Amino acid sequence: MTGVEVPELRVAWLLIWFLVGAGVALALVRGGLPWPWAALALVGWPVLFPLLRPLGGREPPVPAGPLASAITETFAALASLRASPLSAPLDCDEELVRLQASLERIDARLAVVDTILADGGPELLPLRAARARSVAECHAVLQGIRNLRVQLGLLTLAGDTAPVRTQLSALQARVAALEELDQNRGQEPLVNT
Amino acid sequence: MEPTLLSLAADVLRRPLEVVERVAEQPALLPQVLPRLVLLALVGGGVFGAVTGMYRGGPQVLYAAVKMPLLLLIPPMIVLPAARALVALDGPALSGQRLATACLVGMSRTAMLSVALTPPLWLLYRTDLSHQSALAWMLGSLALVGLPGLITVVRAMFPAGSPRGSQLALVALLGLVFAQTGWLLRPFMSMHGTGYPLLCAVDHDIFSGLQVRLLSTREAPTDWDCANPLVLGSHR
């Protein structure tokens, strides 16, 4: 390398660095980052690369399945009951949020299954039966959540948290088993060919 | 809650590892945290660079203010892939998000700590200090503030109980790349009577270069001058 080529190489590297930085900054602005913050990518684009995925690749919303409204209504009713000032306080927000999220995931899978079943055909009978079992189980869990009101009433009157905890644990175990069952089914062919 | 620049700066100085963990647990914070960390590193490094550039004055203040943040940001970017491989040797691979956050928290911490050293350094540079002494003070200051940053990066990357060997390897690797990047970006302080180079051509490596310049007993002022310098896009 001669003495003349070295400076040209330095200028080229600087140009490439800023061009790539400009590209990353543009992508960040398009992804929703305010431009003054995105402009920092001109200098430090390699460390701002991780921002491209969460900004640009937003996860699509979970599709609403056949039980979406039932899930929302059941949990909303329970939340309004718990929000009452006369209701006994119980630290179970996290469990309820997890329970609702699990049910929504199962519901989203049911939505996918419904799309497949819409095509019809006798070969889909095993899938139809599996769907019916999952829906029945979800309904049973939702009924269990409605029944939580009874335990919450007991808690308000007698201050006994054990029945609520027991019922919640039973429901969580039931939903976990249902999710696991669905995942295992997902690894197997849905339709016997 | 969206972190402000000041609250993030305080957290990076007081609880750097908590910042890394918080971002790892809540990836939604990334768009707020990462750009702010880059800004903190740029501002902190820029102030420290400007003060070191004041030894010479003139355009050197601006050049050093531009170069010093690059010295903080470029080495971690180069070492990131190797760091990922080192971490994967002892456990599950880290995500790119965590690596970037760990590096930026460490470097922005170093940058802000370096700002704390600027008043005494500035006063020192107002005295009749030789070029070699000025350089030694700057390197000493950088080592002093760089160590907490390096420790932060390593502790954020390796979970508790990881083998010391991999951690030391990462510290050594980061230290080497820092030293060589500093050598390539030099001079932070050009000598009186020479030009104001923005970038120098590559000559020697950090070790042989320092051996020639710092350990030499004879006064060789032109030794510190850049070979084939780049001065704002034109060549001197």
Side-chain angles (χ1 to χ4, degrees):
Chain A
M1 193 177 282
T2 67
V4 179
E5 286 168 347
V6 172
E8 288 168 355
L9 186 67
R10 283 175 288 173
V11 175
W13 274 117
L14 278 176
L15 274 176
I16 290 169
W17 182 274
F18 286 120
L19 278 176
V20 175
V24 172
L26 199 64
L28 289 174
V29 169
R30 283 185 178 167
L33 197 69
W35 70 264
W37 292 118
L40 292 168
L42 283 171
V43 184
W45 57 266
V47 281
L48 294 182
F49 241 71
L51 290 185
L52 290 177
R53 196 167 49 182
L55 286 174
R58 285 195 182 93
E59 286 182 11
V62 177
L67 303 173
S69 58
I71 294 170
T72 309
E73 285 165 15
T74 304
F75 280 93
L78 190 65
S80 69
L81 182 70
R82 292 187 63 224
S84 163
L86 295 176
S87 178
L90 180 69
D91 184 23
C92 62
D93 289 342
E94 205 176 315
E95 287 96 326
L96 287 173
V97 166
R98 274 208 299 266
L99 207 54
Q100 186 172 1
S102 297
L103 283 170
E104 282 170 351
R105 277 196 297 273
I106 295 167
D107 187 45
R109 285 188 205 132
L110 287 173
V112 176
V113 170
D114 283 351
T115 313
I116 300 168
L117 290 176
D119 294 339
E123 74 277 11
L124 296 174
L125 277 176
L127 181 61
R128 206 177 292 278
R131 179 200 182 277
R133 280 196 297 274
S134 291
V135 169
E137 188 66 10
C138 282
H139 276 303
V141 171
L142 286 174
Q143 187 55 48
I145 292 165
R146 285 184 207 108
N147 291 344
L148 266 178
R149 286 179 302 173
V150 178
Q151 275 84 25
L152 280 172
L154 287 172
L155 173 66
T156 307
L157 284 175
D160 187 7
T161 60
V164 186
R165 294 267 173 225
T166 311
Q167 173 80 346
L168 259 179
S169 300
L171 290 172
Q172 278 178 316
R174 214 164 167 175
V175 171
L178 191 58
E179 271 205 291
E180 199 176 329
L181 194 66
D182 274 10
Q183 278 168 0
N184 290 339
R185 275 189 202 135
Q187 288 162 4
E188 295 165 5
L190 280 171
V191 181
N192 295 324
T193 51
Chain B
M1 197 175 75
E2 189 173 311
T4 62
L5 200 59
L6 280 179
S7 70
L8 186 62
D11 285 346
V12 164
L13 285 172
R14 291 175 187 165
R15 302 172 285 270
L17 294 177
E18 275 183 31
V19 176
V20 179
E21 293 303 331
R22 205 188 315 148
V23 173
E25 285 166 10
Q26 303 172 50
L29 285 174
L30 272 172
Q32 281 101 48
V33 172
L34 287 196
R36 283 172 172 78
L37 289 175
V38 174
L39 185 67
L40 287 174
L42 287 180
V43 172
V47 170
F48 183 71
V51 169
T52 58
M54 280 177 190
Y55 173 77
R56 173 71 196 275
Q60 194 61 30
V61 178
L62 178 67
Y63 288 179
V66 171
K67 286 192 218 178
M68 193 63 82
L70 294 181
L71 173 63
L72 293 177
L73 288 173
I74 289 174
M77 293 176 196
I78 294 172
V79 174
L80 273 180
R84 195 172 194 173
L86 272 172
V87 173
L89 281 176
D90 300 319
L94 290 180
S95 68
Q97 295 174 347
R98 190 183 172 101
L99 280 172
T101 313
C103 282
L104 278 177
V105 166
M107 292 311 103
S108 53
R109 192 171 194 223
T110 292
M112 284 185 287
L113 288 173
S114 72
V115 175
L117 284 184
T118 51
L121 206 61
W122 180 76
L123 286 173
L124 202 65
Y125 285 171
R126 296 293 92 194
T127 63
D128 189 21
L129 204 64
S130 75
H131 186 258
Q132 266 145 330
S133 303
L135 187 66
W137 274 104
M138 190 203 70
L139 289 176
S141 307
L142 266 180
L144 192 67
V145 296
L147 199 61
L150 278 182
I151 291 171
T152 301
V153 172
V154 173
R155 286 181 64 192
M157 284 187 183
F158 288 91
S162 296
R164 290 270 175 205
S166 302
Q167 299 185 30
L168 287 174
L170 183 58
V171 171
L173 195 63
L174 269 170
L176 270 176
V177 178
F178 263 113
Q180 186 60 25
T181 309
W183 182 251
L184 291 175
L185 287 174
R186 113 205 109 90
F188 299 113
M189 305 168 290
S190 61
M191 294 186 70
H192 292 287
T194 62
Y196 298 96
L198 180 63
L199 286 174
C200 300
V202 181
D203 66 325
H204 299 102
D205 57 81
I206 173 71
F207 301 110
S208 55
L210 284 182
Q211 188 182 14
V212 168
R213 289 162 173 85
L214 276 182
L215 303 181
S216 170
T217 50
R218 68 186 174 84
E219 275 296 316
T222 53
D223 271 353
W224 288 102
D225 204 5
C226 270
N228 194 16
L230 179 68
V231 185
L232 283 181
S234 62
H235 311 137
R236 189 163 60 91

